[in-house]
Amino acid sequence: MQKWVRVSVAVLLTCLLLGEASAQGALKKRLAPPKTPKGQCCDEVRSLKVQVANLTSVLEELRGKQEADLMTIMRQMMELDQLSRRQEERVTEAESKYSEINNRVEIIQMQGAQAHTRTSSEALYDCASLYSRNYKISGEYKLPADDYLGTPELDVYCDMDTNGGGWTVIQRRKVGLSNFSRDWKQYKKGFGTIRGDFWLGNEHIFRMTRQPTTLRIEMEDWEGETRYAEYGFFTISNELNSYKLFIANYSGNAGDSLRYHNNTNFSSKDKDNDKCVDDCAALRKGGYWYNCCTDSNLNGVYYRNGQHNKHSGDGITWYGWHGPSYSMKRVEMKIRPQGFRP
Ligand SMILES: *[C@@H]1O[C@H](CO)[C@@H](O)[C@H](O)[C@H]1NC(C)=O
Ligand SMILES: *[C@@H]1O[C@H](CO)[C@@H](O)[C@H](O)[C@H]1NC(C)=O
Ligand SMILES: *[C@@H]1O[C@H](CO)[C@@H](O)[C@H](O)[C@H]1NC(C)=O
Ligand SMILES: *[C@@H]1O[C@H](CO)[C@@H](O)[C@H](O)[C@H]1NC(C)=O
Ligand SMILES: *[C@@H]1O[C@H](CO)[C@@H](O)[C@H](O)[C@H]1NC(C)=O
Ligand SMILES: [Ca+2]
């Protein structure tokens, strides 16, 4: 292209010089016919000028197009990158599903063998006992019913990775589609989906914490930072005693925001058992061990990406980290026996 421009310019200059020369010639030879070479040449000059202008504009257009092309290519590369990352995620998900399915097949096989259970030490009643039987992959498990212990069949999610594993997850918030403003009965037997958001159920939590138990609470904020609070001792009383909470021996980096709820009864939207003239379960829109009312509200309303509950205070809060008007992106509460050794 540029070569063509240069050639054209050269032609133009030649033509201009020729034009001048012939004009001078015309002055000397008055009788020479003035129109033919000169007129032709000037027409050519004009057309050449137009062509040069045209070429310049074409060149500019091309440069613009190249920039646009470059940007398109960069955008396409970024999209490809995202796509491959998404694909990677899908593969990981598929892999974990596959290993979980394998696990469940084994569990079902084990269920047959389990019929012979005669002592409590052989029973499978939480993720820690699964772990000690060499089930060491995190995921969903079906705990078989145990007639000897009088325990029902139960779907659980086991965290076999965090800090040595053996954790039975009792609560999770991460999807944000389940409504946690539920009644006493629902909090008693549990609700939600074991892979998504759920409450395992106060009756199950009561049963599993009859042995000395540790509670670990993990949370993530909308900036992707994670923190945890661990209580070396955790138990709740039975339904007659309103599933009252006892915790002790805090450690962690999220702050001790369950302490304020220590020694309080469980409340739900239809049972105000809190220590307040207000109805905390209604105000905070969850079921929890409300005092008057909260220093944390892990069963509150899920507020999506940056939507914080400035006014109502009903979000998924943990005052010790982000205060009363910040709702977490993800929370998991999990338990395991105090004596657990990986
Ligand atoms: C430039 O030249 C091309 C082809 O010769 C023509 O189609 C186009 O209309 C011209 N553009 C201008 C601005 O003269
Ligand atoms: C959750 O349930 C409560 C009461 O049942 C209702 O008032 C509220 O609108 C529900 N919230 C959502 C997000 O569905
Ligand atoms: C708390 O930890 C201390 C020191 O390890 C221990 O002596 C105590 O029994 C623990 N408290 C409970 C309630 O587990
Ligand atoms: C907690 O529940 C128990 C039994 O359900 C009850 O006797 C006690 O008064 C309750 N405490 C509060 C503060 O409501
Ligand atoms: C909770 O209350 C019990 C007494 O009922 C106490 O021993 C324990 O230390 C308290 N836990 C916290 C974290 O303060
Ligand atoms: Ca009240």
Side-chain angles (χ1 to χ4, degrees):
M1 255 315 172
Q2 271 170 341
K3 201 171 176 185
W4 185 23
V5 173
R6 240 176 280 134
V7 170
S8 305
V9 169
V11 170
L12 179 70
L13 283 174
T14 314
C15 192
L16 280 171
L17 287 171
L18 270 173
E20 197 134 315
S22 66
Q24 277 169 4
L27 274 175
K28 282 175 189 161
K29 301 176 200 167
R30 280 179 165 212
L31 285 172
K35 55 177 183 183
T36 35
K38 194 192 170 191
Q40 232 175 36
C41 182
C42 284
D43 279 350
E44 272 169 35
V45 168
R46 230 172 281 130
S47 98
L48 273 170
K49 271 183 185 168
V50 167
Q51 275 184 35
V52 168
N54 188 343
L55 278 171
T56 313
S57 78
V58 166
L59 268 176
E60 250 153 45
E61 204 177 294
L62 257 173
R63 205 174 307 134
K65 226 191 247 163
Q66 261 173 350
E67 260 164 44
D69 280 355
L70 200 68
M71 262 154 71
T72 310
I73 287 166
M74 271 166 70
R75 201 172 323 118
Q76 277 169 352
M77 274 168 66
M78 273 159 69
E79 273 166 18
L80 268 174
D81 190 44
Q82 261 175 359
L83 206 72
S84 74
R85 218 174 307 151
R86 232 174 292 147
Q87 227 138 24
E88 222 168 86
E89 273 168 28
R90 249 178 255 148
V91 168
T92 315
E93 199 183 316
E95 266 174 9
S96 75
K97 253 183 212 155
Y98 174 77
S99 62
E100 280 166 28
I101 286 166
N102 261 1
N103 254 332
R104 258 179 292 171
V105 168
E106 284 184 63
I107 301 265
I108 288 161
Q109 285 169 349
M110 199 165 51
Q111 249 172 303
Q114 199 62 26
H116 306 297
T117 305
R118 284 294 170 267
T119 66
S120 62
S121 67
E122 285 172 30
L124 287 170
Y125 54 98
D126 62 8
C127 294
S129 45
L130 280 175
Y131 191 96
S132 64
R133 300 277 189 90
N134 268 323
Y135 293 93
K136 296 186 176 174
I137 295 168
S138 293
E140 190 182 344
Y141 289 86
K142 193 180 278 297
L143 297 174
D146 193 305
D147 292 340
Y148 182 84
L149 290 168
T151 56
E153 184 181 272
L154 181 64
D155 281 330
V156 289
Y157 194 97
C158 299
D159 175 350
M160 302 304 205
D161 297 306
T162 302
N163 210 8
W167 299 97
T168 306
V169 180
I170 61 169
Q171 186 257 28
R172 188 188 295 115
R173 310 299 301 274
K174 75 166 187 188
V175 181
L177 297 176
S178 268
N179 195 336
F180 272 60
S181 180
R182 309 258 183 156
D183 63 20
W184 187 265
K185 259 192 194 151
Q186 286 176 296
Y187 269 103
K188 177 182 174 177
K189 70 176 179 56
F191 59 83
T193 49
I194 210 76
R195 288 171 165 284
D197 295 5
F198 71 93
W199 180 254
L200 189 64
N202 287 336
E203 206 51 40
H204 300 301
I205 297 170
F206 160 66
R207 187 166 44 77
M208 286 180 175
T209 61
R210 275 187 295 185
Q211 59 181 327
T213 299
T214 297
L215 167 71
R216 184 181 170 94
I217 303 168
E218 289 157 7
M219 49 202 118
E220 181 183 345
D221 68 12
W222 291 94
E223 284 69 48
E225 197 189 330
T226 56
R227 297 211 184 173
Y228 76 99
E230 207 169 292
Y231 293 88
F233 181 77
F234 165 67
T235 191
I236 65 174
S237 45
N238 61 13
E239 186 176 17
L240 265 176
N241 291 299
S242 302
Y243 299 121
K244 191 175 190 169
L245 172 72
F246 296 98
I247 40 147
N249 285 349
Y250 164 84
S251 63
N253 58 5
D256 186 3
S257 291
L258 205 54
R259 174 194 290 266
Y260 179 67
H261 303 265
N262 192 16
N263 293 307
T264 63
N265 289 339
F266 196 88
S267 293
S268 57
K269 69 174 183 182
D270 57 335
K271 264 206 169 75
D272 179 358
N273 290 331
D274 58 38
K275 298 180 180 169
C276 207
V277 289
D278 291 326
D279 181 353
C280 293
L283 282 175
R284 301 292 194 249
K285 300 197 179 73
Y288 205 56
W289 303 278
Y290 290 114
N291 188 332
C292 189
C293 288
T294 45
D295 197 33
S296 61
N297 189 34
L298 299 181
N299 290 334
V301 178
Y302 194 96
Y303 284 96
R304 211 156 282 285
N305 206 354
Q307 255 185 28
H308 308 148
N309 49 327
K310 292 256 184 318
H311 310 292
S312 48
D314 59 4
I316 302 168
T317 53
W318 190 267
Y319 292 15
W321 183 17
H322 274 304
S325 59
Y326 189 100
S327 190
M328 296 295 164
K329 180 185 180 189
R330 195 174 59 83
V331 175
E332 261 179 20
M333 298 173 76
K334 49 194 75 170
I335 58 174
R336 78 178 175 194
Q338 256 180 21
F340 178 84
R341 295 289 169 270

